[in-house]
Amino acid sequence: MAIRRMDNVLIVVEDLDAVVAFFVELGMELEGSGPLDWPGAERVIGLHDVRQDVAMLRVPDGPGRVELARFHRPRAIAPEPRDAPANTLGLRRVMFAVDDIEDVVTRLRARGGELVGEIVQYENVYRLCYVRGPEGIVVGLAEELGRPGR
């Protein structure tokens, strides 16, 4: 018995439209969005009297997906501190491989993104950075530079 794939990562948000726009600017494609009207969802997540909107985004030509949820009822609980540093326990970031890290950072800044540290080169393999977007969501960006023998 083995895992077949990682299907998606769920991020609970307050401003669904702003976060969708941020991920679309990153290059993800919106598969769909709207209210979640499946009564079984309450049994899966262990909450009662749930009303939520969801959006599913996918990586173009790839298997990765991000699911966003906006809870109307019960209200979402905010973590503390809101903009947690990288050494805080729990899920800290979602990493994406990109073609041009400078271009992506520029486009994400137009959607409220802020560089967490700086763009740094790891040997001759990657250029890497973290960008904090709407609601404190951190995305990691990795631009592959090349490998020896290629």
Side-chain angles (χ1 to χ4, degrees):
M1 182 76 70
I3 294 175
R4 293 179 42 211
R5 70 175 183 267
M6 188 179 105
D7 192 52
N8 68 64
V9 174
L10 171 68
I11 303 172
V12 177
V13 301
E14 290 178 348
D15 188 340
L16 189 60
D17 293 336
V19 179
V20 166
F22 181 81
F23 278 104
V24 167
E25 192 65 52
L26 176 61
M28 297 193 80
E29 296 175 352
L30 180 63
E31 285 186 339
S33 65
L36 181 60
D37 291 325
W38 180 51
E42 291 182 348
R43 295 193 327 263
V44 171
I45 66 175
L47 295 174
H48 301 286
D49 195 28
V50 172
R51 192 173 134 246
Q52 65 176 312
D53 293 322
V54 297
M56 186 66 76
L57 299 115
R58 68 179 173 83
V59 174
D61 302 321
R65 289 160 61 204
V66 172
E67 181 179 355
L68 304 173
R70 160 112 170 59
F71 280 82
H72 299 282
R73 189 176 59 231
R75 308 253 335 129
I77 299 168
E80 293 295 330
R82 182 151 180 107
D83 291 336
N87 65 336
T88 303
L89 295 174
L91 181 65
R92 295 284 39 97
R93 59 115 174 108
V94 179
M95 181 71 90
F96 295 93
V98 299
D99 291 330
D100 181 343
I101 201 167
E102 298 282 347
D103 175 63
V104 174
V105 168
T106 298
R107 290 187 294 108
L108 293 180
R109 280 184 167 148
R111 293 284 181 184
E114 298 176 1
L115 207 52
V116 172
E118 58 187 272
I119 298 172
V120 177
Q121 186 165 321
Y122 172 71
E123 299 181 353
N124 290 323
V125 182
Y126 289 104
R127 294 181 72 215
L128 305 162
C129 72
Y130 281 7
V131 176
R132 187 179 311 277
E135 305 198 26
I137 296 168
V138 176
V139 295
L141 305 176
E143 177 184 348
E144 190 171 13
L145 299 174
R147 294 188 180 155
R150 277 178 115 181

